[in-house]
Amino acid sequence: MAIPTLNAVGFCAHYSDPGDWAFDYALQLSRAHQVRLNVFHFRSDPYDPDDTFADSLSDTERAKLAIEREKELRMYYDKRAGDYLEVGFRLCEHAEWVELHRCLVVREFQLLVLGYVEKDVSFGRRPIEEFADAFVCPVVLVGPDRPDQLHLNSRAELIIDKLGLQPGGWSLLDRQPAG
């Protein structure tokens, strides 16, 4: 099986400790490989399956909200990125699964990093572990309790050397159904 080159890292924004840890890890990888870090933010919170707030807004209100969210996103993560300039931002309008696959196809990332806010938290309207396991590219979940907790899907396990991970410094996602 061919191992893809790492030309860009994708990160889904989440304003939380695990989200910050995930950003820091994605930034560390981007710096180490000297590649672009693309930060994605969604109109509706992908971690909250009940977030439909933006759907109830008029087109004008939605456009204004998008500008506010993009400004907040850039200010928050520009500060965290420091002097690293290869950071792009994208405010996504569509559902997470569709939008992230579209970005993957146009090569906006080859590795996706997500904050692991808590076990069985929803992401893209399914448990985050299920989302990561089913996603077609390498995915690393960071957290939920510490920044050094890294959980990999099976595709990420294939590129451990590119992730800079040592034995015992990560775990494979538990694919057992919750219950």
Side-chain angles (χ1 to χ4, degrees):
M1 169 182 264
I3 303 300
T5 55
L6 188 59
N7 297 320
V9 175
F11 164 73
C12 292
H14 191 264
Y15 302 115
S16 65
D17 285 341
D20 289 348
W21 302 333
F23 178 82
D24 292 345
Y25 178 69
L27 179 63
Q28 172 193 335
L29 282 175
S30 297
R31 283 181 188 270
H33 293 280
Q34 298 180 2
V35 298
R36 186 170 180 84
L37 171 58
N38 286 312
V39 178
F40 302 102
H41 193 286
F42 292 89
R43 183 176 71 188
S44 297
D45 183 356
Y47 289 87
D48 181 358
D50 300 322
D51 181 8
T52 57
F53 172 71
D55 297 337
S56 65
L57 301 175
S58 70
D59 289 345
T60 303
E61 293 169 323
R62 193 174 298 123
K64 185 177 179 179
L65 178 64
I67 291 168
E68 290 170 9
R69 284 192 177 169
E70 185 169 355
K71 181 180 177 183
E72 175 186 24
L73 179 73
R74 286 176 182 272
M75 289 178 65
Y76 188 82
Y77 289 108
D78 267 345
K79 184 177 180 180
R80 292 192 69 82
D83 64 352
Y84 195 68
L85 300 177
E86 288 298 314
V87 180
F89 299 93
R90 182 178 182 144
L91 192 59
C92 304
E93 290 289 319
H94 301 286
E96 302 79 16
W97 188 261
V98 171
E99 192 76 40
L100 289 173
H101 275 88
R102 183 177 301 138
C103 293
L104 182 63
V105 166
V106 296
R107 304 190 56 77
E108 289 187 38
F109 65 92
Q110 290 79 43
L111 167 73
L112 183 62
V113 180
L114 302 173
Y116 197 10
V117 178
E118 62 187 51
K119 189 163 177 47
D120 297 321
V121 70
S122 180
F123 187 90
R125 303 196 190 294
R126 58 170 64 171
I128 195 168
E129 300 87 356
E130 183 183 311
F131 180 95
D133 189 53
F135 205 68
V136 298
C137 81
V139 177
V140 176
L141 303 181
V142 182
D145 302 313
R146 301 181 321 272
D148 62 347
Q149 286 179 303
L150 303 174
H151 309 274
L152 284 56
N153 70 359
S154 59
R155 284 152 302 286
E157 184 180 24
L158 298 173
I159 61 166
I160 294 230
D161 59 321
K162 290 182 174 134
L163 300 178
L165 300 178
Q166 302 300 317
W170 57 276
S171 65
L172 195 58
L173 274 172
D174 179 11
R175 288 176 255 150
Q176 299 293 326

